[in-house]
């Protein structure tokens, strides 16, 4: 019994370490490359976003609005979204190799009202391990294909 408890303790402390060591990277053509820990994100403004699963069942996620994170990294927004900045993109990379692409313009609140958050909670609870610690939630799309889970990196680039 003690052995089982000890094994459980090692397993749980391993999980905690994995979470505290986690960093979301923001890199590429950005003014200030960043690495945000989960506690950095916990100190930022929050918003909710609703995502329907494949069966059409809605779930309420909460987390940091993506534009807040992009602004911290100094990515062009508002009036700067014109000219060459219209051919810039954001590539979102995940642990399993899944990748999703957005144009910077479609994420900018001066251009669209797209509600996109980096979620760390679903219905008020932390994300399941297989979907966390962070999930991009893109509200209002017809299928959840771009709402990628286990997000690790946001990379800004431009089409040459
Ligand atoms: N990292 C990652 N995110 C992903 C995927 C994936 O394969 N890897 N699949 C996408 C697709 S196609 C769908 S339909 C949804 C499914 O999410 P759910 O299983 O949480 O409902 O996740 C999206 N996000
Ligand atoms: Mo899908």
């Amino acid at each position: 019994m003690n052995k089982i408890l000890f094994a459980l303790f090692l397993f749980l402390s391993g999980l905690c370490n994995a979470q505290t060591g986690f960093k979301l990277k923001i890199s590429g053509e950005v003014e200030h490359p960043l690495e945000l820990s989960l506690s950095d994100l916990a100190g930022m403004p929050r918003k909710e976003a609703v995502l329907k699963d494949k069966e059409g069942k809605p779930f309420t996620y909460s987390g940091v609005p993506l534009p807040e994170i992009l602004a911290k990294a100094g990515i062009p927004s508002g009036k700067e979204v014109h000219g060459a900045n219209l051919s810039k993109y954001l590539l979102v990379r995940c642990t399993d190799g899944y990748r999703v692409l957005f144009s910077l313009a479609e994420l900018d609140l001066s251009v669209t009202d797209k509600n996109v958050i980096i979620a760390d909670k679903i219905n008020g609870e932390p994300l399941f391990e297989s979907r966390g610690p962070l999930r991009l939630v893109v509200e209002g799309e017809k299928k959840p294909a771009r709402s990628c889970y286990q997000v690790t990196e946001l990379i800004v680039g431009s089409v040459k």
Side-chain angles (χ1 to χ4, degrees), residues 26 34 36 41 44 64-73 118 154:
I26 300 101
L34 291 178
L36 298 172
L41 289 166
M44 291 179 68
V64 180
L66 184 59
E68 294 279 345
I69 295 171
L70 300 183
K72 235 184 192 330
I118 294 276
L154 309 175

Side-chain angles (χ1 to χ4, degrees), residues 29 84 86-89 101 156-160:
E29 295 177 25
L86 292 174
S87 50
K88 288 192 177 165
Y89 60 82
L101 197 68
V156 177
S158 51
V159 178
K160 303 290 185 276

Side-chain angles (χ1 to χ4, degrees), residues 1 14-15 20 34 50-51 55-56 59 62 74 82 93 101 109 117 131-133 136 145 153 160:
M1 185 61 193
L15 271 186
T20 49
L34 291 178
V50 175
L51 182 69
E55 284 72 46
F59 290 88
S62 64
H82 68 106
R93 296 183 64 178
L101 197 68
L109 298 176
I117 68 171
R131 295 288 181 268
L136 188 78
E153 200 171 356
K160 303 290 185 276

Side-chain angles (χ1 to χ4, degrees), residues 115-148:
N115 184 22
V116 184
I117 68 171
I118 294 276
D120 55 8
K121 290 205 165 138
I122 177 168
N123 294 343
E125 302 288 336
L127 298 178
F128 303 115
E129 213 192 322
S130 65
R131 295 288 181 268
L134 299 175
R135 180 171 194 163
L136 188 78
V137 175
V138 188
E139 196 173 68
E141 297 198 330
K142 285 187 179 171
K143 57 181 182 178
R146 295 208 291 179
S147 290
C148 48

Side-chain angles (χ1 to χ4, degrees), residues 26-88:
I26 300 101
S27 65
E29 295 177 25
V30 304
E31 231 171 78
H32 318 290
L34 291 178
E35 288 197 2
L36 298 172
S37 68
L38 295 178
S39 60
D40 292 332
L41 289 166
M44 291 179 68
R46 296 183 69 82
K47 205 174 176 191
E48 292 187 338
V50 175
L51 182 69
K52 288 183 184 162
D53 67 8
K54 277 188 217 160
E55 284 72 46
K57 193 170 175 236
F59 290 88
T60 302
Y61 288 78
S62 64
V64 180
L66 184 59
E68 294 279 345
I69 295 171
L70 300 183
K72 235 184 192 330
I75 290 166
S77 66
K79 285 184 182 155
E80 298 155 346
V81 181
H82 68 106
N85 285 336
L86 292 174
S87 50
K88 288 192 177 165

